[in-house]
Amino acid sequence: LFTLLLASCNKENQPLNSDSLKGTWNLEQIDGVSAGELSVWMEFSETSFDIYQRLGNKVSYEHYNGTWSLVKGVLSGKYSDGKPWASSYNATITDGVQLRLEAVGSGEVSTYRKSNMPSEVREQVISEK
């Protein structure tokens, strides 16, 4: 019991707020499985976001941007063309460096790690979405 208690204290979920979400996040896992060949970087500023996504063995990234909001721990957003994200997400941050997004409805969980985005990501953008 003591070991279990000690392990649970090491990872501390922190209340999610706009300031804790700001920064750059790199996709690590989807539903507990490594992101593999999928590379996703999300960058949150005051009220806007940029997403850089590369699928499979493609060399270039696609770029998406828009605005986001956070209400009672639920993260949602709209792309620059006005379309909403496919889902809203119950969001939590652990130890200030791990972002867990659980899709409302489907329950799919994506895990991101706060990280500096390599300059090559922006340099390899092929299209603006």
Side-chain angles (χ1 to χ4, degrees), residues 39-51:
S39 178
V40 177
W41 291 88
M42 296 190 311
E43 188 171 40
F44 293 96
S45 60
E46 195 67 35
T47 58
S48 63
F49 71 85
D50 288 278
I51 297 174

Side-chain angles (χ1 to χ4, degrees), residues 35-102:
E37 293 184 0
L38 174 62
S39 178
V40 177
W41 291 88
M42 296 190 311
E43 188 171 40
F44 293 96
S45 60
E46 195 67 35
T47 58
S48 63
F49 71 85
D50 288 278
I51 297 174
Y52 299 87
Q53 177 177 289
R54 183 182 67 203
L55 302 173
N57 58 0
K58 292 183 178 178
V59 175
S60 301
Y61 283 82
E62 291 186 78
H63 176 233
Y64 303 87
N65 59 20
T67 58
W68 62 274
S69 64
L70 182 66
V71 178
K72 296 182 181 181
V74 177
L75 177 65
S76 57
K78 286 186 182 178
Y79 294 102
S80 58
D81 65 3
K83 291 182 183 175
W85 289 350
S87 180
S88 294
Y89 300 88
N90 291 309
T92 55
I93 291 182
T94 304
D95 295 335
V97 296
Q98 188 176 49
L99 173 63
R100 182 181 186 274
L101 300 178
E102 181 179 348

Side-chain angles (χ1 to χ4, degrees), residues 114-128:
K114 198 165 212 172
S115 184
N116 293 321
M117 181 169 31
S119 60
E120 296 82 35
V121 172
R122 284 189 181 88
E123 293 168 3
Q124 296 174 354
V125 170
I126 57 163
S127 63
E128 297 291 319

Side-chain angles (χ1 to χ4, degrees), residues 25-38:
W25 302 88
N26 184 14
L27 178 65
E28 288 188 319
Q29 296 182 342
I30 300 172
D31 282 337
V33 177
S34 170
E37 293 184 0
L38 174 62

